Every structure is written in C-alpha cells, then in structure tokens.
Amino acid sequence: MANLRTSMDASFYDLNIATPQTLNGCARSIPGEPVPVDGAYASKLMRMQQLSLLGIGFPLGIIPSYAPPLSSSQKDSGSLALQSIWLKKPAENWWLGLVGQIRPMKLLSSIKDEALRGDSMLPRFKRVVKKVFDKSFYSVGLSSHLDLSESTSLLLNVEKDGQSKNRRTKAVLLHKLPNHDVTLEAAWPELFVDRNGKYWDMPESISLDCLSLVSESGLRYRYGIHKNGGSVQPVDSVDGQTPASLRPGICAKAAFSYEKSKDLWRVPETKEDLGLVKSKKGEFRNMAYDLRMKEPHAAISGIFGGTCEAWLSGKENLDGTNIKRSPFGADLFGSLSFAIQHGKFRKSYGDLTRFDARLDVSSSSSVSPQLNLILQQQVAGPLVFRVNSKVSLGSASEVWGPHIEDVIYSLNYSLRYLESGKVVAWYSPKRKEGMVEIRVFEF
C-alpha cells in the first residue's frame, strides 16, 4: 500500500530522495514541503551495496545513470554517467567500498575537440592523453559501514566530484533500542531538493533523532533536534526566497501519528499456490515474485498526526534584511489510502494489476490536498511497469485548479531470493533524471 509513514517523515530531515546527482544516491526532501511522489524515495540499501549487487547483472559491472548538471557553469558536463565499484572489502562486521564514476559523453566530446585541432600529430596526441586523465571527467566516493555492536552501527561516506571544488562528507550513527531507533547524523554539505526539483546546498547539517517503532495500537512518535549551519545556497539559479526550514539555526521537533488499516476483502495464500513447479533446472516452490504482493485484496488505511517545532534562534539576516522567524509552530497532517490488487504475481503473464491511491493533507494550516496515484502492471514474469504520479488538488501560481505536479516512470524486476526486493530503473521527467537501484520491502 502507498507509504503512509512519509506523512510524518516529510516534516523531519531524514526523508531521502533518490538522485544520481551524488555518488551516495540520495538528497534530502525539504522539511515542511508537501509529501513527495512515492516513486521518488531512495532505497534503504547503501549505494555501494546496491552497486555491488547490480554489478553482477550488468556488463563489466558498470551501472548507468542520467542527470543534467546541477550548476549552469557545468552545462558541458554531459548527462550520462557510468558507475562501478572499484574496491570492496566485506568482512563480518565491516563493509568498505570505493565507487568510481565517469562521464563518457563529456570525455569523448573533449577528445574529439582536441583531435580536430589543426596541429601536428604529436601535440594533438599529448593533449588527448592529458584530457583522458583530466579529473573533471571523474568522481570518486568512499563508503564504510561498521557494526560497533549488535545494536549500533556507523556509516561514513566521502565523495569528490572532479568538476567541483568541494567534497561531500556524511556520517550516520544508528543505535537500535528495544522499541526505538536513535540516529545521529551529520553532513558537510547536505544536498536538499525542493518540490520543484531544484537543489540547495546546506554547508552544515546535524541532527539527533529518536523514532519509536509502530505499536500494536498503531501509535508512533518521534522527536529530535536539528542544526542548520551556514547560509544555504541554490546549486543552480533559483527564483524566490530560501525555504524557511533551511535557514540557519537550531530547531527542536516532535511528532506523533496514529495509523490503522483494514482489508475490505483478501484471497489468502493456499497450499495449492505453493505447489511444486517443474522446470529444466528441477522442481521448485511456486513462490510469488514479491512476498508482499502474493495475495489479491482490497484495503483501506489512514494516518493522522501532528507536529510541533521550536526554533532556538533569534533574528536572521536574509537577503540583506532582518527577518524574524516564528519561534514556535504546530500543525496537523493526515493521509487516507486505498489499494486494490488483482492476481497473485506468480504466473508469467497477466497475474498482477495493482492500483494505489493516497490522499495527503500535509498541513492543516495551509490546506492543499495532494493525491498520490500508483499503477503497477506485470509485463512478463518478474518484470513490472509502474507509474507514480502526484496530483495537486489546489491551484499553483502558474496553474489554476487540479493539475499533475510530478510523475515518475519505472521498470521493476522483482528478485525472489530477496523475498520483497527488486531492481528498479526509474526516470523523472520533472528533474530529467534517471538511475538504477535495488530496493527492498517497497511496493
């Protein structure tokens, strides 16, 4: 069913959006903005682990991605990028990976320009060789995941884009308690993406967050504190003021939610469904391609909650003026979701058609309902075509009345050995970006 948790997560700082603009594979949704389209959420797997698994199925272990340059000063950088794991050292409680990326179109274009210059052969050859080793065509990232104990893990990611002067550094410390997850996270800088697909760089972003697990009653809560350090900068030319939640300062937040779901009807899995199937490789159980989509059903679910925040900062100098920010704020949010599925996702053809609809009201103070729609259709075997769209039911500055605000197309290849995992190749026309990911327990 369409993810209900994002209604609460969107108000915090840890809602990751998938993007090929970083080697880490994600950027942050701007807190307080409307809930992003479902297909935009980043995978729960670390990017280096994804590349390690994806490399098995791609020629030479090279995985493509597509994205326009972030900065207008890099318009010649090309949109196609190729990524691969250059080094990986998995151990019992430690994972280390070195990720490399090349922009082949930019490299080939530069080599062609040098080769066509009217000099003698030797100077041209020297310039071509120099271009091949030009660092602006390459990016490199180092990721490490260390299990400090059974309940505590540390993630460190450092990446350097050859055409950028700065490097990105991120550290995450996760500690699991019996009923809570505690996360300490810091990034220098942190990349944010707004509802219009524009990117912002925050020089310093530090947060401490405590999230409860979902109780049997459906109650969930979280609280934390976040620091924005430095003045956020648009990565490309962006009209308008800086988003309020990205202005410098320290913010304490708390949120709660209550969610419930109910089946209208469901066809339970039977022993006959799990019968043995014969093939050239022998007999095997007729398992669903995705265990979370193994039963035809129709269901409704809903979530309701509230947030409150306190900014521990005074006056700000924004655009040359002193603007006071409200030191305290509170709001309510809610979502209502409906899902219907035909088929058991076991046969090779015509065994999965699924539709999800979720109505989001992300803020009661500025009501602008959004409708998230998900359509999934089996193409053949484990291959599914999926369309995620977000429809705004209010008017925008340039559009009157309901309108499609965002859409993401994807092909999903389910992996039975991961139970509910899949390879996803997606494209976002709004951001003009696309990449290949491995996602688990997402449907």
Side-chain angles (χ1 to χ4, degrees):
M1 183 170 290
N3 197 340
L4 290 175
R5 275 194 53 192
T6 54
S7 299
M8 182 167 69
D9 294 344
S11 66
F12 276 76
Y13 288 80
D14 62 348
L15 189 56
N16 289 325
I17 304 300
T19 177
Q21 297 287 5
T22 68
L23 292 185
N24 195 33
C26 64
R28 290 292 177 86
S29 173
I30 294 181
E33 289 200 343
V35 177
V37 61
D38 271 67
Y41 309 139
S43 171
K44 298 180 178 70
L45 286 179
M46 297 166 54
R47 185 58 180 167
M48 66 173 179
Q49 294 173 330
Q50 294 180 50
L51 294 175
S52 178
L53 293 172
L54 288 170
I56 300 174
F58 278 79
L60 303 178
I62 297 174
I63 295 90
S65 63
Y66 183 88
L70 281 179
S71 173
S72 57
S73 64
Q74 303 169 356
K75 292 302 182 185
D76 62 341
S77 65
S79 297
L80 178 65
L82 302 177
Q83 294 181 345
S84 181
I85 287 249
W86 291 350
L87 171 70
K88 55 181 178 180
K89 292 291 183 181
E92 183 177 353
N93 62 342
W94 182 50
W95 224 105
L96 178 68
L98 182 64
V99 177
Q101 176 178 279
I102 182 174
R103 296 178 180 84
M105 303 307 296
K106 180 186 177 184
L107 175 59
L108 292 175
S109 177
S110 297
I111 291 177
K112 179 181 177 181
D113 291 342
E114 294 296 341
L116 293 178
R117 287 178 58 180
D119 295 339
S120 59
M121 182 62 70
L122 184 59
R124 278 189 291 176
F125 178 75
K126 289 182 178 179
R127 288 197 304 269
V128 168
V129 172
K130 185 177 180 181
K131 281 292 182 182
V132 171
F133 291 97
D134 188 342
K135 65 180 182 180
S136 65
F137 302 123
Y138 308 96
S139 300
V140 63
L142 181 66
S143 296
S144 176
H145 183 272
L146 175 64
D147 291 326
L148 302 175
S149 68
E150 292 184 357
S151 58
T152 307
S153 60
L154 174 65
L155 169 65
L156 178 64
N157 183 79
V158 181
E159 61 183 72
K160 180 68 171 68
D161 189 332
Q163 60 189 5
S164 174
K165 296 180 180 180
N166 300 323
R167 70 169 182 263
R168 296 187 182 276
T169 304
K170 177 176 286 190
V172 181
L173 181 65
L174 174 63
H175 181 66
K176 292 183 177 294
L177 297 173
N179 297 307
H180 298 81
D181 289 339
V182 180
T183 305
L184 174 62
E185 187 162 349
W188 306 272
E190 181 69 274
L191 185 66
F192 287 86
V193 58
D194 64 23
R195 62 185 299 179
N196 299 314
K198 300 297 183 180
Y199 289 90
W200 302 77
D201 252 336
M202 173 67 66
E204 179 186 70
S205 176
I206 303 174
S207 62
L208 176 63
D209 182 74
C210 181
L211 171 66
S212 72
L213 303 182
V214 178
S215 64
E216 294 182 359
S217 65
L219 180 65
R220 190 183 189 94
Y221 60 88
R222 66 184 306 176
Y223 53 89
I225 189 167
H226 187 94
K227 177 189 177 185
N228 293 335
S231 179
V232 66
Q233 297 294 328
V235 179
D236 204 347
S237 57
V238 177
D239 298 329
Q241 289 188 341
T242 301
S245 57
L246 296 187
R247 296 172 189 170
I250 299 175
C251 179
K253 282 191 174 184
F256 74 92
S257 67
Y258 178 78
E259 61 183 87
K260 278 294 183 181
S261 62
K262 180 178 179 58
D263 287 342
L264 301 179
W265 58 264
R266 181 177 293 269
V267 181
E269 185 179 52
T270 64
K271 292 182 179 180
E272 289 75 16
D273 293 330
L274 295 172
L276 293 176
V277 177
K278 294 182 179 180
S279 70
K280 294 180 180 180
K281 297 181 180 180
E283 294 183 337
F284 63 92
R285 290 285 181 186
N286 188 27
M287 304 287 291
Y289 292 109
D290 188 323
L291 292 185
R292 292 203 171 189
M293 294 194 291
K294 64 183 181 180
E295 297 177 344
H297 68 278
I300 57 172
S301 60
I303 186 172
F304 170 82
T307 62
C308 62
E309 64 180 28
W311 282 93
L312 311 177
S313 58
K315 292 183 178 180
E316 302 176 63
N317 193 333
L318 184 63
D319 298 330
T321 61
N322 287 332
I323 299 178
K324 275 193 173 184
R325 174 168 48 203
S326 175
F328 180 80
D331 210 343
L332 299 174
F333 62 85
S335 295
L336 182 64
S337 181
F338 171 76
I340 184 169
Q341 176 180 317
H342 168 75
K344 301 181 179 181
F345 203 23
R346 301 171 192 271
K347 301 177 183 178
S348 297
Y349 299 98
D351 201 27
L352 177 68
T353 300
R354 182 183 174 106
F355 175 74
D356 289 69
R358 190 187 72 222
L359 179 66
D360 294 321
V361 178
S362 56
S363 172
S364 63
S365 58
S366 56
V367 178
S368 179
Q370 310 245 335
L371 187 61
N372 270 279
L373 304 174
I374 306 173
L375 176 63
Q376 299 182 77
Q377 177 61 54
Q378 182 185 29
V379 178
L383 188 63
V384 175
F385 177 68
R386 172 169 169 161
V387 180
N388 293 78
S389 59
K390 182 171 71 171
V391 179
S392 177
L393 302 181
S395 299
S397 56
E398 66 281 357
V399 181
W400 185 86
H403 59 280
I404 296 177
E405 189 170 303
D406 200 359
V407 62
I408 291 180
Y409 305 99
S410 64
L411 278 176
N412 303 261
Y413 189 92
S414 296
L415 304 171
R416 270 179 169 150
Y417 68 88
L418 290 181
E419 295 186 351
S420 186
K422 56 193 174 185
V423 177
V424 179
W426 60 265
Y427 178 72
S428 168
K430 185 173 186 176
R431 289 186 279 150
K432 297 181 175 62
E433 295 178 355
M435 64 187 297
V436 182
E437 295 184 283
I438 290 183
R439 297 180 177 177
V440 293
F441 295 107
E442 300 172 35
F443 56 98

PDB file of all heavy atoms in Angstrom, residues 344-371:
ATOM      1  N   LYS A 344      -1.887 -12.914  -8.246  1.00  0.00           N
ATOM      2  CA  LYS A 344      -1.033 -13.377  -7.156  1.00  0.00           C
ATOM      3  C   LYS A 344       0.445 -13.232  -7.471  1.00  0.00           C
ATOM      4  O   LYS A 344       1.286 -13.650  -6.679  1.00  0.00           O
ATOM      5  CB  LYS A 344      -1.349 -14.841  -6.846  1.00  0.00           C
ATOM      6  CG  LYS A 344      -2.813 -15.063  -6.445  1.00  0.00           C
ATOM      7  CD  LYS A 344      -3.098 -16.513  -6.131  1.00  0.00           C
ATOM      8  CE  LYS A 344      -4.553 -16.704  -5.706  1.00  0.00           C
ATOM      9  NZ  LYS A 344      -4.857 -18.131  -5.367  1.00  0.00           N
ATOM     10  N   PHE A 345       0.772 -12.654  -8.617  1.00  0.00           N
ATOM     11  CA  PHE A 345       2.153 -12.366  -9.010  1.00  0.00           C
ATOM     12  C   PHE A 345       3.031 -13.625  -8.971  1.00  0.00           C
ATOM     13  O   PHE A 345       4.119 -13.626  -8.433  1.00  0.00           O
ATOM     14  CB  PHE A 345       2.748 -11.281  -8.123  1.00  0.00           C
ATOM     15  CG  PHE A 345       3.909 -10.550  -8.750  1.00  0.00           C
ATOM     16  CD1 PHE A 345       4.082 -10.492 -10.123  1.00  0.00           C
ATOM     17  CD2 PHE A 345       4.852  -9.925  -7.955  1.00  0.00           C
ATOM     18  CE1 PHE A 345       5.151  -9.821 -10.690  1.00  0.00           C
ATOM     19  CE2 PHE A 345       5.932  -9.254  -8.506  1.00  0.00           C
ATOM     20  CZ  PHE A 345       6.068  -9.199  -9.879  1.00  0.00           C
ATOM     21  N   ARG A 346       2.500 -14.709  -9.576  1.00  0.00           N
ATOM     22  CA  ARG A 346       3.226 -15.976  -9.626  1.00  0.00           C
ATOM     23  C   ARG A 346       3.418 -16.460 -11.064  1.00  0.00           C
ATOM     24  O   ARG A 346       4.457 -17.008 -11.401  1.00  0.00           O
ATOM     25  CB  ARG A 346       2.490 -17.071  -8.843  1.00  0.00           C
ATOM     26  CG  ARG A 346       2.273 -16.751  -7.384  1.00  0.00           C
ATOM     27  CD  ARG A 346       1.356 -17.766  -6.728  1.00  0.00           C
ATOM     28  NE  ARG A 346       0.930 -17.322  -5.416  1.00  0.00           N
ATOM     29  CZ  ARG A 346       1.598 -17.570  -4.302  1.00  0.00           C
ATOM     30  NH1 ARG A 346       2.698 -18.287  -4.331  1.00  0.00           N
ATOM     31  NH2 ARG A 346       1.152 -17.137  -3.134  1.00  0.00           N
ATOM     32  N   LYS A 347       2.392 -16.243 -11.893  1.00  0.00           N
ATOM     33  CA  LYS A 347       2.443 -16.703 -13.271  1.00  0.00           C
ATOM     34  C   LYS A 347       3.307 -15.771 -14.116  1.00  0.00           C
ATOM     35  O   LYS A 347       3.667 -14.668 -13.700  1.00  0.00           O
ATOM     36  CB  LYS A 347       1.032 -16.778 -13.847  1.00  0.00           C
ATOM     37  CG  LYS A 347       0.102 -17.721 -13.089  1.00  0.00           C
ATOM     38  CD  LYS A 347      -1.299 -17.676 -13.677  1.00  0.00           C
ATOM     39  CE  LYS A 347      -2.256 -18.565 -12.889  1.00  0.00           C
ATOM     40  NZ  LYS A 347      -3.644 -18.496 -13.422  1.00  0.00           N
ATOM     41  N   SER A 348       3.587 -16.218 -15.335  1.00  0.00           N
ATOM     42  CA  SER A 348       4.467 -15.445 -16.215  1.00  0.00           C
ATOM     43  C   SER A 348       3.771 -14.245 -16.829  1.00  0.00           C
ATOM     44  O   SER A 348       4.417 -13.245 -17.149  1.00  0.00           O
ATOM     45  CB  SER A 348       5.012 -16.345 -17.327  1.00  0.00           C
ATOM     46  OG  SER A 348       5.803 -17.384 -16.780  1.00  0.00           O
ATOM     47  N   TYR A 349       2.436 -14.325 -16.995  1.00  0.00           N
ATOM     48  CA  TYR A 349       1.716 -13.229 -17.638  1.00  0.00           C
ATOM     49  C   TYR A 349       0.359 -13.010 -16.971  1.00  0.00           C
ATOM     50  O   TYR A 349      -0.265 -13.945 -16.477  1.00  0.00           O
ATOM     51  CB  TYR A 349       1.490 -13.530 -19.137  1.00  0.00           C
ATOM     52  CG  TYR A 349       2.753 -13.705 -19.929  1.00  0.00           C
ATOM     53  CD1 TYR A 349       3.230 -14.981 -20.203  1.00  0.00           C
ATOM     54  CD2 TYR A 349       3.477 -12.603 -20.389  1.00  0.00           C
ATOM     55  CE1 TYR A 349       4.406 -15.159 -20.932  1.00  0.00           C
ATOM     56  CE2 TYR A 349       4.648 -12.771 -21.115  1.00  0.00           C
ATOM     57  CZ  TYR A 349       5.100 -14.047 -21.379  1.00  0.00           C
ATOM     58  OH  TYR A 349       6.263 -14.224 -22.087  1.00  0.00           O
ATOM     59  N   GLY A 350      -0.087 -11.763 -16.971  1.00  0.00           N
ATOM     60  CA  GLY A 350      -1.439 -11.423 -16.527  1.00  0.00           C
ATOM     61  C   GLY A 350      -1.760 -11.787 -15.102  1.00  0.00           C
ATOM     62  O   GLY A 350      -2.919 -12.054 -14.783  1.00  0.00           O
ATOM     63  N   ASP A 351      -0.773 -11.755 -14.211  1.00  0.00           N
ATOM     64  CA  ASP A 351      -1.025 -12.170 -12.830  1.00  0.00           C
ATOM     65  C   ASP A 351      -0.756 -11.048 -11.834  1.00  0.00           C
ATOM     66  O   ASP A 351      -0.590 -11.307 -10.653  1.00  0.00           O
ATOM     67  CB  ASP A 351      -0.165 -13.395 -12.489  1.00  0.00           C
ATOM     68  CG  ASP A 351      -0.719 -14.174 -11.297  1.00  0.00           C
ATOM     69  OD1 ASP A 351      -1.944 -14.106 -11.075  1.00  0.00           O
ATOM     70  OD2 ASP A 351       0.062 -14.835 -10.589  1.00  0.00           O
ATOM     71  N   LEU A 352      -0.682  -9.804 -12.309  1.00  0.00           N
ATOM     72  CA  LEU A 352      -0.569  -8.681 -11.365  1.00  0.00           C
ATOM     73  C   LEU A 352      -1.053  -7.393 -12.024  1.00  0.00           C
ATOM     74  O   LEU A 352      -0.494  -6.945 -13.027  1.00  0.00           O
ATOM     75  CB  LEU A 352       0.873  -8.487 -10.893  1.00  0.00           C
ATOM     76  CG  LEU A 352       1.053  -7.271  -9.954  1.00  0.00           C
ATOM     77  CD1 LEU A 352       0.348  -7.512  -8.626  1.00  0.00           C
ATOM     78  CD2 LEU A 352       2.519  -6.940  -9.729  1.00  0.00           C
ATOM     79  N   THR A 353      -2.093  -6.843 -11.449  1.00  0.00           N
ATOM     80  CA  THR A 353      -2.519  -5.471 -11.743  1.00  0.00           C
ATOM     81  C   THR A 353      -2.850  -4.849 -10.400  1.00  0.00           C
ATOM     82  O   THR A 353      -3.659  -5.386  -9.646  1.00  0.00           O
ATOM     83  CB  THR A 353      -3.751  -5.433 -12.656  1.00  0.00           C
ATOM     84  OG1 THR A 353      -3.437  -6.073 -13.896  1.00  0.00           O
ATOM     85  CG2 THR A 353      -4.169  -3.999 -12.923  1.00  0.00           C
ATOM     86  N   ARG A 354      -2.218  -3.739 -10.096  1.00  0.00           N
ATOM     87  CA  ARG A 354      -2.391  -3.143  -8.765  1.00  0.00           C
ATOM     88  C   ARG A 354      -2.542  -1.628  -8.902  1.00  0.00           C
ATOM     89  O   ARG A 354      -1.846  -0.981  -9.695  1.00  0.00           O
ATOM     90  CB  ARG A 354      -1.187  -3.477  -7.882  1.00  0.00           C
ATOM     91  CG  ARG A 354      -1.314  -2.937  -6.456  1.00  0.00           C
ATOM     92  CD  ARG A 354      -0.071  -3.237  -5.646  1.00  0.00           C
ATOM     93  NE  ARG A 354      -0.139  -2.602  -4.347  1.00  0.00           N
ATOM     94  CZ  ARG A 354      -0.369  -3.222  -3.213  1.00  0.00           C
ATOM     95  NH1 ARG A 354      -0.542  -4.536  -3.200  1.00  0.00           N
ATOM     96  NH2 ARG A 354      -0.406  -2.567  -2.077  1.00  0.00           N
ATOM     97  N   PHE A 355      -3.449  -1.087  -8.086  1.00  0.00           N
ATOM     98  CA  PHE A 355      -3.678   0.353  -8.078  1.00  0.00           C
ATOM     99  C   PHE A 355      -3.717   0.846  -6.636  1.00  0.00           C
ATOM    100  O   PHE A 355      -4.405   0.271  -5.791  1.00  0.00           O
ATOM    101  CB  PHE A 355      -4.994   0.698  -8.787  1.00  0.00           C
ATOM    102  CG  PHE A 355      -5.351   2.152  -8.713  1.00  0.00           C
ATOM    103  CD1 PHE A 355      -4.678   3.087  -9.484  1.00  0.00           C
ATOM    104  CD2 PHE A 355      -6.365   2.589  -7.874  1.00  0.00           C
ATOM    105  CE1 PHE A 355      -5.005   4.429  -9.424  1.00  0.00           C
ATOM    106  CE2 PHE A 355      -6.701   3.927  -7.806  1.00  0.00           C
ATOM    107  CZ  PHE A 355      -6.016   4.852  -8.582  1.00  0.00           C
ATOM    108  N   ASP A 356      -2.950   1.902  -6.355  1.00  0.00           N
ATOM    109  CA  ASP A 356      -2.928   2.546  -5.037  1.00  0.00           C
ATOM    110  C   ASP A 356      -3.280   4.014  -5.200  1.00  0.00           C
ATOM    111  O   ASP A 356      -2.811   4.679  -6.143  1.00  0.00           O
ATOM    112  CB  ASP A 356      -1.548   2.445  -4.391  1.00  0.00           C
ATOM    113  CG  ASP A 356      -1.197   1.043  -3.945  1.00  0.00           C
ATOM    114  OD1 ASP A 356      -0.993   0.169  -4.807  1.00  0.00           O
ATOM    115  OD2 ASP A 356      -1.104   0.836  -2.734  1.00  0.00           O
ATOM    116  N   ALA A 357      -4.068   4.533  -4.279  1.00  0.00           N
ATOM    117  CA  ALA A 357      -4.385   5.963  -4.248  1.00  0.00           C
ATOM    118  C   ALA A 357      -4.268   6.448  -2.809  1.00  0.00           C
ATOM    119  O   ALA A 357      -4.791   5.812  -1.892  1.00  0.00           O
ATOM    120  CB  ALA A 357      -5.790   6.228  -4.784  1.00  0.00           C
ATOM    121  N   ARG A 358      -3.550   7.552  -2.623  1.00  0.00           N
ATOM    122  CA  ARG A 358      -3.387   8.104  -1.276  1.00  0.00           C
ATOM    123  C   ARG A 358      -3.641   9.601  -1.310  1.00  0.00           C
ATOM    124  O   ARG A 358      -3.016  10.334  -2.077  1.00  0.00           O
ATOM    125  CB  ARG A 358      -1.974   7.838  -0.745  1.00  0.00           C
ATOM    126  CG  ARG A 358      -1.834   8.169   0.752  1.00  0.00           C
ATOM    127  CD  ARG A 358      -0.397   8.066   1.219  1.00  0.00           C
ATOM    128  NE  ARG A 358       0.412   9.155   0.704  1.00  0.00           N
ATOM    129  CZ  ARG A 358       1.641   9.002   0.238  1.00  0.00           C
ATOM    130  NH1 ARG A 358       2.201   7.808   0.180  1.00  0.00           N
ATOM    131  NH2 ARG A 358       2.318  10.047  -0.215  1.00  0.00           N
ATOM    132  N   LEU A 359      -4.567  10.050  -0.472  1.00  0.00           N
ATOM    133  CA  LEU A 359      -4.884  11.472  -0.356  1.00  0.00           C
ATOM    134  C   LEU A 359      -4.114  12.036   0.831  1.00  0.00           C
ATOM    135  O   LEU A 359      -4.273  11.560   1.965  1.00  0.00           O
ATOM    136  CB  LEU A 359      -6.382  11.677  -0.169  1.00  0.00           C
ATOM    137  CG  LEU A 359      -6.850  13.127  -0.011  1.00  0.00           C
ATOM    138  CD1 LEU A 359      -6.607  13.908  -1.298  1.00  0.00           C
ATOM    139  CD2 LEU A 359      -8.332  13.170   0.371  1.00  0.00           C
ATOM    140  N   ASP A 360      -3.265  13.028   0.583  1.00  0.00           N
ATOM    141  CA  ASP A 360      -2.431  13.625   1.622  1.00  0.00           C
ATOM    142  C   ASP A 360      -2.868  15.051   1.909  1.00  0.00           C
ATOM    143  O   ASP A 360      -3.082  15.849   0.985  1.00  0.00           O
ATOM    144  CB  ASP A 360      -0.954  13.671   1.190  1.00  0.00           C
ATOM    145  CG  ASP A 360      -0.343  12.289   1.032  1.00  0.00           C
ATOM    146  OD1 ASP A 360      -0.666  11.419   1.853  1.00  0.00           O
ATOM    147  OD2 ASP A 360       0.446  12.092   0.091  1.00  0.00           O
ATOM    148  N   VAL A 361      -2.997  15.371   3.175  1.00  0.00           N
ATOM    149  CA  VAL A 361      -3.110  16.753   3.636  1.00  0.00           C
ATOM    150  C   VAL A 361      -1.926  16.960   4.567  1.00  0.00           C
ATOM    151  O   VAL A 361      -1.949  16.576   5.730  1.00  0.00           O
ATOM    152  CB  VAL A 361      -4.441  17.015   4.364  1.00  0.00           C
ATOM    153  CG1 VAL A 361      -4.491  18.453   4.856  1.00  0.00           C
ATOM    154  CG2 VAL A 361      -5.624  16.737   3.439  1.00  0.00           C
ATOM    155  N   SER A 362      -0.853  17.521   4.024  1.00  0.00           N
ATOM    156  CA  SER A 362       0.393  17.614   4.780  1.00  0.00           C
ATOM    157  C   SER A 362       0.398  18.751   5.785  1.00  0.00           C
ATOM    158  O   SER A 362       1.251  18.796   6.666  1.00  0.00           O
ATOM    159  CB  SER A 362       1.581  17.774   3.822  1.00  0.00           C
ATOM    160  OG  SER A 362       1.393  18.896   2.973  1.00  0.00           O
ATOM    161  N   SER A 363      -0.553  19.677   5.667  1.00  0.00           N
ATOM    162  CA  SER A 363      -0.606  20.792   6.600  1.00  0.00           C
ATOM    163  C   SER A 363      -2.039  21.291   6.711  1.00  0.00           C
ATOM    164  O   SER A 363      -2.677  21.614   5.703  1.00  0.00           O
ATOM    165  CB  SER A 363       0.310  21.936   6.130  1.00  0.00           C
ATOM    166  OG  SER A 363       0.123  23.087   6.924  1.00  0.00           O
ATOM    167  N   SER A 364      -2.547  21.354   7.933  1.00  0.00           N
ATOM    168  CA  SER A 364      -3.902  21.863   8.136  1.00  0.00           C
ATOM    169  C   SER A 364      -3.946  23.378   8.085  1.00  0.00           C
ATOM    170  O   SER A 364      -4.994  23.970   7.826  1.00  0.00           O
ATOM    171  CB  SER A 364      -4.440  21.382   9.491  1.00  0.00           C
ATOM    172  OG  SER A 364      -3.650  21.894  10.552  1.00  0.00           O
ATOM    173  N   SER A 365      -2.797  24.027   8.319  1.00  0.00           N
ATOM    174  CA  SER A 365      -2.758  25.489   8.317  1.00  0.00           C
ATOM    175  C   SER A 365      -2.789  26.059   6.909  1.00  0.00           C
ATOM    176  O   SER A 365      -3.288  27.158   6.690  1.00  0.00           O
ATOM    177  CB  SER A 365      -1.509  25.981   9.059  1.00  0.00           C
ATOM    178  OG  SER A 365      -0.335  25.448   8.459  1.00  0.00           O
ATOM    179  N   SER A 366      -2.242  25.338   5.961  1.00  0.00           N
ATOM    180  CA  SER A 366      -2.292  25.772   4.556  1.00  0.00           C
ATOM    181  C   SER A 366      -2.760  24.578   3.729  1.00  0.00           C
ATOM    182  O   SER A 366      -1.969  23.900   3.085  1.00  0.00           O
ATOM    183  CB  SER A 366      -0.922  26.248   4.082  1.00  0.00           C
ATOM    184  OG  SER A 366       0.043  25.248   4.274  1.00  0.00           O
ATOM    185  N   VAL A 367      -4.047  24.316   3.784  1.00  0.00           N
ATOM    186  CA  VAL A 367      -4.601  23.101   3.192  1.00  0.00           C
ATOM    187  C   VAL A 367      -4.432  23.122   1.675  1.00  0.00           C
ATOM    188  O   VAL A 367      -4.964  23.991   1.000  1.00  0.00           O
ATOM    189  CB  VAL A 367      -6.089  22.934   3.559  1.00  0.00           C
ATOM    190  CG1 VAL A 367      -6.646  21.682   2.887  1.00  0.00           C
ATOM    191  CG2 VAL A 367      -6.251  22.867   5.054  1.00  0.00           C
ATOM    192  N   SER A 368      -3.695  22.140   1.195  1.00  0.00           N
ATOM    193  CA  SER A 368      -3.522  21.950  -0.240  1.00  0.00           C
ATOM    194  C   SER A 368      -3.437  20.446  -0.477  1.00  0.00           C
ATOM    195  O   SER A 368      -2.354  19.871  -0.528  1.00  0.00           O
ATOM    196  CB  SER A 368      -2.258  22.656  -0.743  1.00  0.00           C
ATOM    197  OG  SER A 368      -2.088  22.442  -2.123  1.00  0.00           O
ATOM    198  N   PRO A 369      -4.585  19.776  -0.592  1.00  0.00           N
ATOM    199  CA  PRO A 369      -4.573  18.316  -0.698  1.00  0.00           C
ATOM    200  C   PRO A 369      -3.806  17.840  -1.928  1.00  0.00           C
ATOM    201  O   PRO A 369      -3.809  18.484  -2.981  1.00  0.00           O
ATOM    202  CB  PRO A 369      -6.067  17.968  -0.810  1.00  0.00           C
ATOM    203  CG  PRO A 369      -6.796  19.155  -0.296  1.00  0.00           C
ATOM    204  CD  PRO A 369      -5.942  20.328  -0.634  1.00  0.00           C
ATOM    205  N   GLN A 370      -3.134  16.697  -1.764  1.00  0.00           N
ATOM    206  CA  GLN A 370      -2.392  16.082  -2.857  1.00  0.00           C
ATOM    207  C   GLN A 370      -2.835  14.630  -2.970  1.00  0.00           C
ATOM    208  O   GLN A 370      -3.052  13.953  -1.965  1.00  0.00           O
ATOM    209  CB  GLN A 370      -0.887  16.132  -2.574  1.00  0.00           C
ATOM    210  CG  GLN A 370      -0.385  17.498  -2.180  1.00  0.00           C
ATOM    211  CD  GLN A 370       0.574  18.071  -3.203  1.00  0.00           C
ATOM    212  OE1 GLN A 370       1.210  17.352  -3.927  1.00  0.00           O
ATOM    213  NE2 GLN A 370       0.666  19.384  -3.250  1.00  0.00           N
ATOM    214  N   LEU A 371      -2.950  14.165  -4.202  1.00  0.00           N
ATOM    215  CA  LEU A 371      -3.375  12.802  -4.467  1.00  0.00           C
ATOM    216  C   LEU A 371      -2.222  12.051  -5.120  1.00  0.00           C
ATOM    217  O   LEU A 371      -1.764  12.401  -6.204  1.00  0.00           O
ATOM    218  CB  LEU A 371      -4.598  12.800  -5.387  1.00  0.00           C
ATOM    219  CG  LEU A 371      -5.286  11.449  -5.632  1.00  0.00           C
ATOM    220  CD1 LEU A 371      -5.816  10.869  -4.326  1.00  0.00           C
ATOM    221  CD2 LEU A 371      -6.403  11.607  -6.649  1.00  0.00           C
TER     222      LEU A 371
END
